[in-house]
Amino acid sequence: MMTPYLLTKDGFESQIGTNHLGHFALTAHLMDVLRVTPDSRVVNVSSLAHKGGKIYFSNLNFADGKGYSPLKAYSQSKLANLLFSLGLQTYFEKSKIDCKVMTAHPGVSDTNLFNNSAWVKSVKPLFSGVFQPASMGALPELRAATDPTAKSGDFFGPNGTMEIKGYPVLVKATKAACNAESARQLWEISEKLTKVKFE
């Protein structure tokens, strides 16, 4: 989360590589299991940061650090999580695979993710009442994974003010996160970059 400009071993910008492309490839490799497991589900973990996100299709990896900012790259990766969920849901429906896709976000949880941002670390003590414990931040993900009434396409987050903290409820993604064409483009780019296809 909000790291300096770094590359993964595969040469991807670290945040899109870790937060999206790795999950994309892992899910593709799990398809044999998902296909034969009735009523299975995939849960992708996004963030409130998706709300400020934009997918930079022409420079997804911020090549050579061009245009890079830690928050911009993080927000892109978290928007990508929601677009991947949308694309995966479409794929499952077209392929008649009995698997649901949900997304969740933890609100603002007190974890070591903030350690990469000196600015956030410096002001964190001032906002200690805003952060919720990591155990509360895990609840939306747990609800997405276990709620028997959850439906494919559901997005869970905290019920408090601005979804910062609280108990898990259904929340709304941004318009950009619900764009089927963006989901399709991201899917194609992700297959090309990872060299992994869903079959």
Side-chain angles (χ1 to χ4, degrees):
M1 176 179 165
M2 295 194 284
T3 60
Y5 180 70
L6 302 165
L7 299 178
T8 67
K9 190 162 53 166
D10 295 308
F12 306 133
E13 183 278 314
S14 65
Q15 295 186 88
I16 197 74
T18 302
N19 298 340
H20 167 63
L21 294 171
H23 296 123
F24 181 90
L26 173 63
T27 306
H29 288 303
L30 291 172
M31 283 310 303
D32 287 346
V33 175
L34 294 172
R35 281 181 197 281
V36 298
T37 308
D39 199 29
S40 53
R41 60 180 74 186
V42 172
V43 177
N44 290 310
V45 181
S46 187
S47 164
L48 282 170
H50 91 275
K51 294 183 179 193
K54 177 181 175 187
I55 304 293
Y56 297 91
F57 287 110
S58 61
N59 191 18
L60 196 70
N61 282 299
F62 296 98
D64 299 320
K66 184 180 175 188
Y68 183 83
S69 87
L71 180 58
K72 188 160 59 169
Y74 181 67
S75 298
Q76 172 183 243
S77 74
K78 294 287 110 183
L79 175 57
N81 295 141
L82 281 152
L83 289 171
F84 174 45
S85 289
L86 180 59
L88 191 59
Q89 182 182 352
T90 301
Y91 174 79
F92 286 154
E93 288 167 2
K94 282 184 180 174
S95 305
K96 301 199 182 334
I97 296 170
D98 185 14
C99 185
K100 296 182 183 83
V101 185
M102 287 77 149
T103 313
H105 80 79
V108 182
S109 302
D110 191 3
T111 69
N112 64 2
L113 278 178
F114 291 102
N115 292 350
N116 290 312
S117 172
W119 178 83
V120 174
K121 259 173 91 172
S122 68
V123 299
K124 189 174 170 184
L126 301 173
F127 294 97
S128 59
V130 174
F131 291 69
Q132 65 179 349
S135 58
M136 285 294 291
L139 293 181
E141 294 81 352
L142 289 171
R143 180 168 180 192
T146 62
D147 183 344
T149 67
K151 299 185 293 297
S152 205
D154 283 352
F155 183 27
F156 294 98
N159 67 349
T161 304
M162 296 176 12
E163 301 169 26
I164 290 173
K165 61 183 180 178
Y167 288 94
V169 294
L170 286 169
V171 295
K172 289 191 175 182
T174 61
K175 189 175 176 183
C178 301
N179 186 308
E181 176 57 21
S182 292
R184 186 197 63 75
Q185 276 186 269
L186 181 64
W187 188 282
E188 285 183 2
I189 290 170
S190 300
E191 283 190 330
K192 183 178 176 184
L193 290 173
T194 63
K195 299 179 174 56
V196 173
K197 287 194 176 288
F198 282 70
E199 298 178 314

